[in-house]
Amino acid sequence: MFDRTYDGRPIKLMVVIDEYTRECLAIHVARCIRAKDAIDVFADLMEIHGIPEHIRSDNGPEMVAKRLRVWLGRLGTRTIYITPGSPWENGYCESFNGKLRDELLNGELFYTLREAEVLIERWRVFYNTERPHSSLEYRPPAPTPECIKHARLKLFLILRRCHRVCFS
């Protein structure tokens, strides 16, 4: 998923959705995303949630990279790639991306990458902990105190990193 900052520079979003719970586990925001970045995101998530049986994704270069496939293979995680031009094969993620675009990205003008990280993470927490989902009987996917605590910690770390960059 892509967006841009005010100055026209690209922002790429790597979205990770749990197909079972519909929880958005992460949205990695960067100017570009490589296989190493995807490995870092997945490794962080696996420390918290465990190693998944499979990962379903599109055919983006960071997701089909040999380095990522070898790493996942060593963990015993299968890769399932959707057929190009077949977004219905990845319905939960496509639905999420549409909501993210409609509810946040189309209404925000990001001046910096850090601002995008903070606002997108704030929306992710809202999506998981407060926003009602019709498919879940109008409940949020993860309204647990643990999720809220983890999200606040992540937001704190992003803000602290921003503080160091901006004021150091």
Side-chain angles (χ1 to χ4, degrees):
M1 185 166 204
F2 292 92
D3 204 10
R4 295 196 174 277
T5 49
Y6 178 72
D7 60 5
R9 294 173 61 201
I11 298 175
K12 188 163 185 185
L13 286 69
M14 178 182 147
V15 175
V16 182
I17 303 284
D18 182 315
E19 291 182 347
Y20 180 73
T21 66
R22 314 258 171 98
E23 180 181 1
C24 176
L25 302 177
I27 305 176
H28 178 67
V29 180
R31 294 288 180 196
C32 67
I33 299 176
R34 292 184 167 64
K36 182 195 179 312
D37 302 315
I39 290 170
D40 290 344
V41 170
F42 288 138
D44 290 346
L45 291 172
M46 288 177 192
E47 282 186 37
I48 298 166
H49 301 281
I51 297 172
E53 178 183 305
H54 69 272
I55 292 177
R56 181 183 327 273
S57 73
D58 62 15
N59 295 283
E62 69 278 4
M63 300 307 293
V64 298
K66 183 177 180 181
R67 182 176 181 182
L68 176 64
R69 287 183 288 127
V70 167
W71 181 78
L72 289 170
R74 286 186 191 141
L75 297 173
T77 299
R78 291 182 304 124
T79 52
I80 301 172
Y81 298 107
I82 65 167
T83 307
S86 303
W88 54 86
E89 292 180 11
N90 201 11
Y92 297 127
C93 199
E94 293 299 325
S95 174
F96 175 86
N97 288 347
K99 289 172 179 58
L100 174 60
R101 172 89 39 216
D102 292 344
E103 296 176 16
L104 178 72
L105 300 179
N106 286 345
E108 286 293 336
L109 181 61
F110 303 117
Y111 287 94
T112 66
L113 183 63
R114 292 284 184 238
E115 180 184 26
E117 282 182 304
V118 169
L119 293 178
I120 290 168
E121 176 63 14
R122 185 182 298 163
W123 185 86
R124 185 190 73 82
V125 171
F126 167 76
Y127 177 89
N128 285 336
T129 61
E130 296 178 43
R131 185 187 181 282
H133 296 244
S134 60
S135 61
L136 299 173
E137 298 179 4
Y138 295 94
R139 293 181 306 225
T144 63
E146 171 115 354
C147 180
I148 295 168
K149 180 180 175 185
H150 176 71
R152 285 182 179 158
L153 175 62
K154 183 172 180 179
L155 188 57
F156 169 78
L157 293 174
I158 290 170
L159 290 171
R160 187 173 77 182
R161 186 173 56 196
C162 179
H163 179 72
R164 280 192 204 138
V165 171
C166 296
F167 300 104
S168 295

